[in-house]
Amino acid sequence: MSKGEPGAEWYASINPNGRMPAIVHKKEDGTSVTVFESAACLLYIAHEFDKEHTISYPIGSAGYWSQLSWLSWQVAGYGPFMGQAAFFNRYSTEPVPYASWRYTSECRRLHHVLDKQLGSSPFVAGDRMTVADFAVFIFAHSARWCGIDISNYPNVKAWHDKLVQRPAFQKALQVPVPYPFSDEAVSNPDPGAQERYKGMRKYGSQGIKMAHEQWGGDVVPVPSDHANLP
């Protein structure tokens, strides 16, 4: 990312949107399949490599549709809103109180939805851990950075703590470097650690601004503009 490779032509041939993740799967028969966007990648991995359905449900089963529903919930709402909350709470170069309130309050609502689900189900989509859990987990693991106190949602907290203790999750959180946005990490009072986060916030805000400068412009007006203002 620091080299700008997601915007390069070679990467655009893999993911036209220029974002991560993406997969190029070269099969044994010589063919290859390209998949991009997180939900599509997770579903592809489950389809190709989880034939025993240890982290997924069989296609067409009731569990599969629950898994797909919660995966869609994550990519359509939970993930994007947590991302925008993180932007306005941690990266924005100027205070935007209304935007911060808008995204953070919706994140609280989404956590309430998730907390209710996990109060009646051991995992996000049902009785087994699935790719839906994987998709949701990393944002729950980053809750404080986004402006959310996960302890206010006891079922989400218990589910998170259960998953984060699993060896595979521990291993994944170290690749390619230790994950820096966990609640524990971002709350580290060590001055050296906080200097690192200050640098990350400055770098992140500059990177976001540079990535979108070419798309600036005026909002397209409609006759009812400003009717919502006091």
Side-chain angles (χ1 to χ4, degrees):
M1 289 182 65
S2 62
K3 296 179 180 178
E5 289 188 345
E9 280 191 31
W10 72 265
Y11 189 75
S13 68
I14 297 171
N15 183 351
N17 195 38
R19 298 291 185 269
M20 293 180 284
I23 295 172
V24 178
H25 179 202
K26 295 187 180 297
K27 298 187 174 185
E28 292 181 357
D29 62 5
T31 62
S32 66
V33 176
T34 299
V35 184
F36 60 90
E37 295 298 332
S38 58
C41 289
L42 286 169
L43 289 171
Y44 183 80
I45 290 169
H47 180 267
E48 289 292 310
F49 303 106
D50 186 33
K51 303 299 185 182
E52 301 299 319
H53 301 294
T54 58
I55 57 167
S56 64
Y57 287 96
I59 293 177
S61 66
Y64 174 82
W65 293 114
S66 177
Q67 168 190 292
L68 185 59
S69 294
W70 283 102
L71 185 58
S72 299
W73 175 86
Q74 190 276 331
V75 297
Y78 185 64
F81 271 86
M82 289 288 275
Q84 292 299 325
F87 173 78
F88 285 106
N89 292 329
R90 310 299 180 208
Y91 295 104
S92 179
T93 56
E94 60 184 83
V96 189
Y98 185 81
S100 180
W101 169 84
R102 165 73 177 105
Y103 288 107
T104 308
S105 61
E106 174 64 3
C107 287
R108 295 191 186 103
R109 187 193 73 81
L110 290 164
H111 276 87
H112 174 75
V113 172
L114 182 61
D115 197 64
K116 186 176 180 180
Q117 169 67 4
L118 290 169
S120 60
S121 175
F123 296 100
V124 171
D127 62 357
R128 72 184 71 171
M129 182 176 61
T130 69
V131 292
D133 294 273
F134 302 163
V136 174
F137 170 82
I138 199 62
F139 288 98
H141 194 56
S142 317
R144 185 170 294 275
W145 189 247
C146 299
I148 298 296
D149 184 353
I150 198 176
S151 65
N152 290 330
Y153 310 92
N155 297 319
V156 177
K157 180 71 164 56
W159 163 83
H160 165 272
D161 292 350
K162 175 175 62 178
L163 294 190
V164 81
Q165 292 173 12
R166 297 173 69 103
F169 277 74
Q170 288 286 325
K171 183 178 180 180
L173 289 168
Q174 300 300 313
V175 178
V177 297
Y179 186 68
F181 298 114
S182 68
D183 287 5
E184 181 180 6
V186 302
S187 302
N188 185 348
D190 178 74
Q194 288 308 311
E195 283 301 314
R196 180 190 178 203
Y197 286 104
K198 290 177 182 178
M200 291 169 67
R201 291 173 70 163
K202 290 179 181 178
Y203 174 81
S205 63
Q206 292 170 359
I208 292 168
K209 183 178 181 182
M210 290 175 60
H212 292 86
E213 279 182 330
Q214 64 175 308
W215 309 112
D218 296 329
V219 174
V220 176
V222 295
S224 61
D225 277 350
H226 312 303
N228 52 301
L229 301 180

